[in-house]
Amino acid sequence: MNILYNLLLRLLAPFALLRLLCKSRKNRDYRRHISERFARCLPPALPNSLWVHAVSVGEFLAIRPLLDSLLAQHPDLNLWLTCTTPTGRAQIAQYQARHPQRITYSYLPYDTIANCHRILAHIRPRALILMETEIWPNLIRLAARAGVPVILTNARLSAKSLRGYHRYARHLLREPLAHLQINAQTRNDARRFRKLGVPAANISITPNLKYQTPPETPLPPDIAAARQPDTWIAASTHPGEDESAIAAHRILQQTLPHARLILAPRHPERRDSVAKLVRDAGYTPRLRSRGETASGDRDILILDTLGELAHYYRISDLAFIGGSLIARGGHNPLEALHAGIPVTFGASMYNFQHIRDRLVREPFARELADNRPETLAAALLALHAAPHSAAIRACMSGYENIVAAHLRHLEDHIK
């Protein structure tokens, strides 16, 4: 199985390059730093580094408080951060600018044996910390052989993924999983990792980092000044969802004529196509990247910047969570709840199944029965009709020490 996997990686390398070039037609950042994806032209490594990999924006934002604690409590440690997307890289670059002497970053190389050997020899990490679902057989196997502890933190494994691994990769993962330390989000995740082949002694459970309440920070003045009553945000939307949000907004305005919509596409490079949808629906698109604001009832703000979603949750009254009306598994609804606003989402939330299962029992969360704009508008109106702040605060309380618990788990393996 290892031979077949590595053969496939070699055969697929040209297609991976072609995919990057195709994506670069919409986002030119995909053309940049391609050599890093082959573990070449890497920046200089810092001594005594922990290598932390978070695939993209959501995972990096979740682990960032843990990185803050690592840097604060272990001044002897440095960090090498990797990701796989330009949006994730942009977030990491902003973070590195705050700690330029202690953080280096790059893209994660493709999981070939040669790439893994090169980057491990370059970084010489004290430990490798992978985030959530990032199981890379060659990287884990070669790191373990080099004596590098490998920890999958905030780990989750859906029933669907477990079936896929069992069917296609069980033998390939046998050696990597024997060396992998798992810090699972839930008991169900822990049981699935055990079924996959991780030794029980290597599995612990710590609540999802995304439950950690973020520190309260002042809103940027221009965002605070944009606050308007009856504002709702369609967050992290994908193609096929923006149309539903705009149509639902039209219905919503029949009851709340001054309602405002903020459209926040998951990938900001879609701004032009989203703006066209807004214009075609008879509204005026206003782009955050140009410093524009939505000042009238016929304006729709397109949040096409990075790192500002949490701010815009705080000036909204309601949130729809994207990636859930289509088969993408949803996005993190806890970010909106941290801002104290109720949420609605579609049926596809398998990436956040445990969170979804808990929220659907709460009065401040609505799962949509279908994908029709009328259903979304009705859910928003129902949530708008009653106060939910106290119930949201009660639900989100008790999670103040999650980062500390994750830090203790990591410290057990990096001593």
Side-chain angles (χ1 to χ4, degrees):
M1 181 61 75
N2 283 340
I3 294 174
L4 178 60
Y5 175 69
N6 287 301
L7 178 61
L8 283 173
L9 288 176
R10 291 178 68 88
L11 292 174
L12 290 173
F15 296 98
L17 280 173
L18 182 62
R19 182 169 179 265
L20 290 175
L21 293 175
C22 289
K23 285 191 167 189
S24 71
R25 291 161 58 187
K26 292 185 177 180
N27 183 351
R28 294 191 62 83
D29 286 340
Y30 278 101
R31 288 178 179 261
R32 300 186 174 99
H33 310 289
I34 288 178
S35 60
E36 293 178 356
R37 299 181 187 270
F38 296 89
R40 297 188 183 278
C41 301
L42 296 169
L46 296 170
N48 202 30
S49 286
L50 293 181
W51 178 2
V52 181
H53 175 65
V55 63
S56 192
V57 175
E59 292 77 14
F60 174 72
L61 293 179
I63 203 171
R64 186 170 60 185
L66 180 57
L67 302 183
D68 289 338
S69 292
L70 279 167
L71 290 172
Q73 298 190 32
H74 294 273
D76 60 317
L77 288 178
N78 296 307
L79 299 177
W80 183 291
L81 306 181
T82 56
C83 62
T84 61
T85 67
T87 50
R89 186 186 178 94
Q91 286 286 318
I92 290 173
Q94 292 177 14
Y95 187 67
Q96 189 268 350
R98 294 166 44 194
H99 308 279
Q101 304 303 317
R102 300 188 62 190
I103 295 177
T104 310
Y105 63 96
S106 71
Y107 282 122
L108 179 75
Y110 295 125
D111 194 42
T112 67
I113 291 176
N115 290 346
C116 294
H117 273 307
R118 275 195 296 271
I119 194 166
L120 285 166
H122 182 78
I123 303 173
R124 299 187 181 278
R126 184 163 166 180
L128 170 59
I129 301 166
L130 305 169
M131 184 70 171
E132 294 197 352
T133 60
E134 293 294 285
I135 300 176
W136 296 103
N138 281 334
L139 178 59
I140 296 170
R141 178 168 56 86
L142 294 175
R145 288 184 181 181
V148 177
V150 185
I151 304 108
L152 187 65
T153 197
N154 216 46
R156 58 182 172 89
L157 183 65
S158 68
K160 179 180 178 181
S161 295
L162 175 62
R163 290 192 297 270
Y165 282 133
H166 260 293
R167 180 174 297 177
Y168 301 111
R170 190 173 185 180
H171 297 294
L172 174 67
L173 293 175
R174 183 174 297 160
E175 182 184 351
L177 293 181
H179 301 285
L180 188 61
Q181 298 292 327
I182 298 287
N183 193 12
Q185 295 181 11
T186 69
R187 289 186 178 88
N188 287 335
D189 292 308
R191 280 195 288 267
R192 293 184 191 117
F193 279 112
R194 183 69 190 96
K195 287 181 181 179
L196 189 59
V198 178
N202 290 7
I203 302 174
S204 59
I205 301 171
T206 306
N208 191 337
L209 275 168
K210 292 174 182 176
Y211 275 109
Q212 177 72 40
T213 303
E216 186 76 16
T217 57
L219 281 174
D222 62 328
I223 297 179
R227 187 190 300 272
Q228 297 286 341
D230 299 336
T231 294
W232 70 286
I233 183 168
S236 298
T237 56
H238 291 261
E241 295 182 314
D242 306 289
E243 300 92 328
S244 295
I246 296 168
H249 184 58
R250 188 186 302 280
I251 298 169
L252 194 67
Q253 285 188 317
Q254 295 173 10
T255 303
L256 301 172
H258 300 299
R260 305 289 177 88
L261 168 60
I262 301 169
L263 268 177
R266 182 67 175 177
H267 300 104
E269 61 268 22
R270 291 202 304 114
R271 59 179 64 85
D272 292 340
S273 60
V274 175
K276 184 178 186 303
L277 291 173
V278 171
R279 281 192 296 269
D280 290 347
Y283 291 93
T284 301
R286 303 295 186 186
L287 297 183
R288 169 62 178 166
S289 61
R290 296 178 184 169
E292 298 172 347
T293 59
S295 56
D297 299 341
R298 307 303 298 174
D299 291 344
I300 292 179
L301 179 66
I302 299 175
L303 182 57
D304 59 335
T305 55
L306 291 173
E308 294 191 312
L309 181 59
H311 295 326
Y312 278 89
Y313 277 135
R314 290 171 60 188
I315 66 167
S316 301
D317 301 302
L318 306 162
F320 162 73
I321 308 302
S324 62
L325 291 181
I326 59 173
R328 292 300 295 263
H331 293 291
N332 180 17
L334 298 179
E335 294 176 351
L337 295 177
H338 285 312
I341 62 174
V343 297
T344 184
F345 42 78
S348 181
M349 287 291 287
Y350 56 81
N351 286 332
F352 298 86
Q353 192 66 44
H354 182 260
I355 296 172
R356 174 264 171 205
D357 292 346
R358 181 182 180 189
L359 291 183
V360 293
R361 300 193 296 266
E362 301 288 351
F364 51 77
R366 296 291 179 98
E367 183 176 64
L368 304 177
D370 54 54
N371 296 351
R372 296 183 305 127
E374 294 84 357
T375 305
L376 174 55
L380 292 167
L381 285 170
L383 291 170
H384 182 272
H388 296 289
S389 298
I392 293 172
R393 282 196 302 271
C395 177
M396 300 304 290
S397 65
Y399 293 104
E400 295 81 9
N401 299 313
I402 291 178
V403 168
H406 278 266
L407 181 62
R408 287 194 296 272
H409 179 265
L410 291 181
E411 288 173 334
D412 289 340
H413 299 288
I414 63 176
K415 291 177 179 177

